Amino acid sequence: MKTPPLLSLVLALAMPAAGLQAAEITGAGATFPAPVYAKWAEVYRDKTGHAVNYQAIGSGGGIKQIKAMTVDFGATDDPMTAKALKRSDLLQFPAVIGGIVPVVSVEGVAPGQMTLNGETLAGIFSGRISQWNDPAIAALNAGLSLPAAPITVVYRSDSSGTTAGFTTYLAEVVPEFEKAVGAGKTVNWPTGIGGKGNAGVAANVLKLKNAIGYVEYAYAKQNKMSHTALLNKAGKRVQPDNLTFAAAAAGAEWTKAEGFGISLNNQAGDEAWPITSASFIVVYRKPENPTRAGEVLKFFRWAFSEGQALATELDYVPLPAATTALIEKAWQGVTDPAGKPVLP
C-alpha cells in the first residue's frame, strides 16, 4: 500500500469492513511527524481493524484542538511546559524523532551539495544575507557555482513546532536572531513568503526559483528536494539522515523535563545533525472518554513495539526501549473516573 501523499494536510484512513468491533480515534497537530503517523495508522488498521484519523494542521492547532476536546490526542513538535501541562491537566510524551532540514531550489545544486551553518541560516532568515553569492555562503562552498540572484525565503505561515525547532536553533547559535526575529511557533519574519504546514513550505520552495525553506526531512526526501548539508556544533559537515538524527538524540536525558520536553538541537558529537527534534503527543490525564483514551495509548504502544522499522524507512528515529518504558510508566497517570489506568 502507498503512504498517503505528503502534500495532503488531512491524513484519514477509512473504517474497516462491517462486522469488526472497530475503534476509531482522532488526532490533530504537527505536520513534522505526519508521514510516519500516516504509515503507522495504515498498517495498524490492516493488522487490528482500528482506524486512526489524523489532521496535520500544525503544532499550535493540535494544542488548541486537544484543549477544546475536539480530538482524542494532540500532537506538537514544540513541547508544552510543565506549567502549561499542569494548568490543563494534560500528559505529554515523545513519539518519534526527526530532523529539520534547509531545502533550496537553486539551479545546478544537487541534494546535499550546498553547505550552510547556523550563522549563515540566521543571516538568510533575518534578511541580512539576501544574495546567493554572498561572501558568507561562498566561503562555505568553494567550487560551487552560486548565482548572483536574490534569495527567496519561504517560512511557515501557521503556528508550527517545526518553526519553533528551527528558530530556537538559530537563536542559540546567533542570540541576536531572537531579538530581531524571535524564537517559537510563530515569529516576526522580516522577509519571505509563507506556506502552511511542512507541505506548504515544500510546495513553495519547489515552485519558486532561488528559494530556501525548512521542512522535516521526510518531506524533502519524498519530494526529491535539494536539502543542504550543515556544519554542526563540532564543526563537522553532516548530511541529514536517521543516523545523524540518532546521533543528536544519543545523549537525551528525557527525565530532565516534565512531559519529556527537552531540546535535541545543537548537540555535541561529530555525527550529530544540529536541528533535531522530537515530536510529542498530548492527552488528558482524566479524559472524558476513557475508552477512546485507552485506544490512543494502545495505538502508540503498538507503534513503539511494531512500528519502529516503518519509522526508520521514512528516516525518522524510533525511541529506544528504555525511553518507551519510561513513557508507558507515565501512561499509568491517564485514568478513568474511578482512578484506574485506561491502559492496564
Side-chain angles (χ1 to χ4, degrees):
M1 292 188 179
K2 294 182 179 179
T3 301
L6 292 180
L7 297 184
S8 171
L9 291 180
V10 179
L11 304 172
L13 296 173
M15 289 294 289
L20 292 175
Q21 194 66 28
E24 180 176 12
I25 56 174
T26 61
T31 64
F32 177 101
V36 69
Y37 289 176
K39 191 62 180 178
W40 280 347
E42 178 187 13
V43 176
Y44 186 69
R45 183 198 60 182
D46 289 343
K47 290 184 175 293
T48 68
H50 301 318
V52 180
N53 298 315
Y54 182 73
Q55 293 180 317
I57 60 173
S59 295
I63 291 173
K64 286 181 180 178
Q65 292 270 13
I66 189 65
K67 285 184 175 180
M69 300 185 182
T70 57
V71 293
D72 300 308
F73 65 92
T76 177
D77 304 324
D78 185 25
M80 296 180 68
T81 64
K83 184 177 180 180
L85 291 168
K86 185 176 181 180
R87 182 167 57 243
S88 298
D89 201 22
L90 294 166
L91 182 141
Q92 174 179 268
F93 60 90
V96 72
I97 295 165
I100 300 167
V101 302
V103 286
V104 301
S105 59
V106 178
E107 188 174 355
V109 175
Q113 189 176 14
M114 181 182 288
T115 301
L116 297 174
N117 59 16
E119 289 79 7
T120 53
L121 281 173
I124 291 168
F125 281 85
S126 65
R128 289 188 296 102
I129 296 176
S130 59
Q131 295 283 126
W132 278 114
N133 64 344
D134 185 281
I137 300 176
L140 295 170
N141 293 280
L144 184 63
S145 179
L146 296 168
I151 299 172
T152 298
V153 167
V154 181
Y155 57 82
R156 285 285 291 271
S157 59
D158 51 334
S159 180
S160 159
T162 305
T163 295
F166 186 67
T167 57
T168 53
Y169 164 70
L170 296 182
E172 182 177 347
V173 175
V174 182
E176 293 79 10
F177 181 88
E178 184 170 7
K179 297 175 185 176
V181 180
K185 288 192 289 292
T186 59
V187 299
N188 297 314
W189 297 109
T191 185
I193 297 169
K196 189 174 182 180
N198 273 278
V201 171
N204 278 342
V205 172
L206 285 168
K207 73 181 181 182
L208 296 170
K209 191 175 181 180
N210 296 316
I212 184 171
Y214 56 94
V215 297
E216 196 283 322
Y217 182 54
Y219 290 82
K221 187 174 182 180
Q222 287 206 1
N223 287 289
K224 298 180 180 179
M225 303 181 77
S226 289
H227 65 268
T228 75
L230 288 176
L231 296 185
N232 63 15
K233 190 174 185 177
K236 303 296 185 179
R237 185 179 188 270
V238 288
Q239 297 284 355
D241 59 32
N242 60 313
L243 297 177
T244 56
F245 305 154
E253 297 183 53
W254 297 104
T255 58
K256 290 186 71 173
E258 179 72 22
F260 304 89
I262 62 171
S263 172
L264 301 176
N265 274 338
N266 210 28
Q267 294 295 305
D270 288 356
E271 302 298 324
W273 182 255
I275 322 177
T276 300
S277 175
S279 195
F280 297 83
I281 298 300
V282 181
V283 295
Y284 275 97
R285 289 183 175 274
K286 295 179 174 59
E288 281 193 332
N289 190 322
T291 300
R292 291 173 71 88
E295 292 297 332
V296 170
L297 301 186
K298 284 180 184 177
F299 169 66
F300 285 102
R301 182 173 64 185
W302 173 89
F304 292 157
S305 63
E306 298 185 44
Q308 307 288 54
L310 297 172
T312 302
E313 287 172 9
L314 290 169
D315 289 284
Y316 293 89
V317 177
L319 298 171
T323 303
T324 59
L326 289 173
I327 292 168
E328 293 197 28
K329 183 178 179 181
W331 287 348
Q332 297 303 297
V334 181
T335 60
D336 64 16
K340 295 181 180 179
V342 300
L343 183 66

